[in-house]
Short mmCIF file of all heavy atoms in Angstrom, two decimals:
data_model
loop_
_atom_site.label_atom_id
_atom_site.label_comp_id
_atom_site.label_asym_id
_atom_site.label_seq_id
_atom_site.Cartn_x
_atom_site.Cartn_y
_atom_site.Cartn_z
N SER A 142 8.63 -8.88 0.15
CA SER A 142 8.42 -9.79 -0.99
C SER A 142 8.59 -9.08 -2.33
O SER A 142 8.84 -9.73 -3.35
CB SER A 142 7.03 -10.43 -0.91
OG SER A 142 6.01 -9.44 -0.96
N ILE A 143 8.48 -7.75 -2.35
CA ILE A 143 8.65 -7.00 -3.59
C ILE A 143 10.12 -6.93 -4.02
O ILE A 143 10.40 -6.64 -5.18
CB ILE A 143 8.08 -5.57 -3.45
CG1 ILE A 143 8.65 -4.89 -2.22
CG2 ILE A 143 6.57 -5.61 -3.37
CD1 ILE A 143 8.12 -3.50 -1.98
N CYS A 144 11.03 -7.20 -3.11
CA CYS A 144 12.46 -7.06 -3.43
C CYS A 144 12.88 -8.01 -4.56
O CYS A 144 13.66 -7.64 -5.43
CB CYS A 144 13.31 -7.33 -2.20
SG CYS A 144 13.04 -6.16 -0.85
N LYS A 145 12.39 -9.23 -4.52
CA LYS A 145 12.78 -10.24 -5.51
C LYS A 145 12.48 -9.76 -6.93
O LYS A 145 13.32 -9.89 -7.83
CB LYS A 145 12.04 -11.54 -5.22
CG LYS A 145 12.17 -12.62 -6.27
CD LYS A 145 13.51 -13.30 -6.23
CE LYS A 145 13.51 -14.54 -7.10
NZ LYS A 145 14.84 -15.17 -7.18
N ILE A 146 11.31 -9.19 -7.14
CA ILE A 146 10.91 -8.76 -8.48
C ILE A 146 11.83 -7.64 -8.97
O ILE A 146 12.29 -7.64 -10.11
CB ILE A 146 9.44 -8.31 -8.48
CG1 ILE A 146 8.53 -9.51 -8.19
CG2 ILE A 146 9.07 -7.67 -9.81
CD1 ILE A 146 7.08 -9.15 -7.97
N MET A 147 12.11 -6.69 -8.10
CA MET A 147 12.96 -5.56 -8.50
C MET A 147 14.39 -6.00 -8.73
O MET A 147 15.03 -5.58 -9.70
CB MET A 147 12.87 -4.45 -7.45
CG MET A 147 11.47 -3.84 -7.36
SD MET A 147 11.37 -2.34 -6.35
CE MET A 147 11.54 -3.02 -4.71
N LEU A 148 14.91 -6.88 -7.88
CA LEU A 148 16.27 -7.37 -8.08
C LEU A 148 16.37 -8.24 -9.32
O LEU A 148 17.37 -8.20 -10.05
CB LEU A 148 16.74 -8.13 -6.84
CG LEU A 148 17.00 -7.26 -5.60
CD1 LEU A 148 17.29 -8.13 -4.38
CD2 LEU A 148 18.17 -6.29 -5.85
N ASN A 149 15.32 -9.04 -9.59
CA ASN A 149 15.31 -9.84 -10.81
C ASN A 149 15.34 -8.95 -12.05
O ASN A 149 16.03 -9.26 -13.03
CB ASN A 149 14.08 -10.74 -10.86
CG ASN A 149 14.25 -12.01 -10.04
OD1 ASN A 149 15.34 -12.30 -9.55
ND2 ASN A 149 13.17 -12.76 -9.88
N TYR A 150 14.59 -7.86 -12.00
CA TYR A 150 14.58 -6.94 -13.14
C TYR A 150 15.99 -6.42 -13.42
O TYR A 150 16.39 -6.24 -14.58
CB TYR A 150 13.62 -5.78 -12.88
CG TYR A 150 13.60 -4.77 -14.00
CD1 TYR A 150 12.79 -4.97 -15.12
CD2 TYR A 150 14.42 -3.63 -13.98
CE1 TYR A 150 12.78 -4.07 -16.17
CE2 TYR A 150 14.42 -2.73 -15.02
CZ TYR A 150 13.60 -2.96 -16.11
OH TYR A 150 13.61 -2.07 -17.16
N LEU A 151 16.74 -6.18 -12.35
CA LEU A 151 18.10 -5.66 -12.48
C LEU A 151 19.13 -6.77 -12.67
O LEU A 151 20.31 -6.49 -12.80
CB LEU A 151 18.45 -4.83 -11.25
CG LEU A 151 17.56 -3.60 -11.01
CD1 LEU A 151 17.78 -3.06 -9.61
CD2 LEU A 151 17.85 -2.53 -12.06
N ASP A 152 18.66 -8.03 -12.68
CA ASP A 152 19.53 -9.20 -12.85
C ASP A 152 20.55 -9.31 -11.71
O ASP A 152 21.71 -9.64 -11.93
CB ASP A 152 20.23 -9.17 -14.21
CG ASP A 152 20.71 -10.55 -14.64
OD1 ASP A 152 20.18 -11.55 -14.10
OD2 ASP A 152 21.63 -10.63 -15.47
N VAL A 153 20.08 -9.03 -10.50
CA VAL A 153 20.92 -9.17 -9.30
C VAL A 153 20.47 -10.42 -8.56
O VAL A 153 19.30 -10.54 -8.18
CB VAL A 153 20.78 -7.93 -8.39
CG1 VAL A 153 21.49 -8.18 -7.06
CG2 VAL A 153 21.32 -6.70 -9.08
N GLN A 154 21.40 -11.35 -8.34
CA GLN A 154 21.08 -12.60 -7.64
C GLN A 154 21.81 -12.74 -6.32
O GLN A 154 21.41 -13.51 -5.46
CB GLN A 154 21.43 -13.79 -8.55
CG GLN A 154 20.70 -13.80 -9.87
CD GLN A 154 19.19 -13.87 -9.72
OE1 GLN A 154 18.68 -14.51 -8.80
NE2 GLN A 154 18.46 -13.20 -10.59
N GLN A 155 22.92 -12.01 -6.15
CA GLN A 155 23.72 -12.11 -4.94
C GLN A 155 24.00 -10.71 -4.40
O GLN A 155 24.33 -9.81 -5.17
CB GLN A 155 25.06 -12.81 -5.21
CG GLN A 155 24.96 -14.26 -5.66
CD GLN A 155 26.34 -14.83 -5.91
OE1 GLN A 155 27.17 -14.22 -6.57
NE2 GLN A 155 26.61 -16.01 -5.37
N VAL A 156 23.85 -10.55 -3.08
CA VAL A 156 24.06 -9.23 -2.49
C VAL A 156 24.94 -9.32 -1.25
O VAL A 156 24.98 -10.33 -0.55
CB VAL A 156 22.72 -8.54 -2.11
CG1 VAL A 156 21.88 -8.28 -3.35
CG2 VAL A 156 21.96 -9.37 -1.08
N LYS A 157 25.65 -8.23 -1.02
CA LYS A 157 26.32 -7.98 0.26
C LYS A 157 25.44 -6.94 0.94
O LYS A 157 25.46 -5.77 0.57
CB LYS A 157 27.74 -7.46 0.02
CG LYS A 157 28.65 -8.43 -0.71
CD LYS A 157 30.03 -7.85 -0.96
CE LYS A 157 29.99 -6.74 -2.00
NZ LYS A 157 31.34 -6.20 -2.29
N LEU A 158 24.65 -7.37 1.91
CA LEU A 158 23.55 -6.56 2.42
C LEU A 158 23.98 -5.71 3.60
O LEU A 158 24.42 -6.22 4.63
CB LEU A 158 22.39 -7.47 2.83
CG LEU A 158 21.06 -6.78 3.14
CD1 LEU A 158 20.51 -6.07 1.90
CD2 LEU A 158 20.05 -7.79 3.67
#
Side-chain angles (χ1 to χ4, degrees):
S142 61
I143 52 182
C144 297
K145 171 76 169 175
I146 294 171
M147 295 190 287
L148 289 173
N149 279 352
Y150 178 84
L151 298 167
D152 201 20
V153 172
Q154 301 299 325
Q155 296 179 313
V156 296
K157 298 178 290 182
L158 191 63

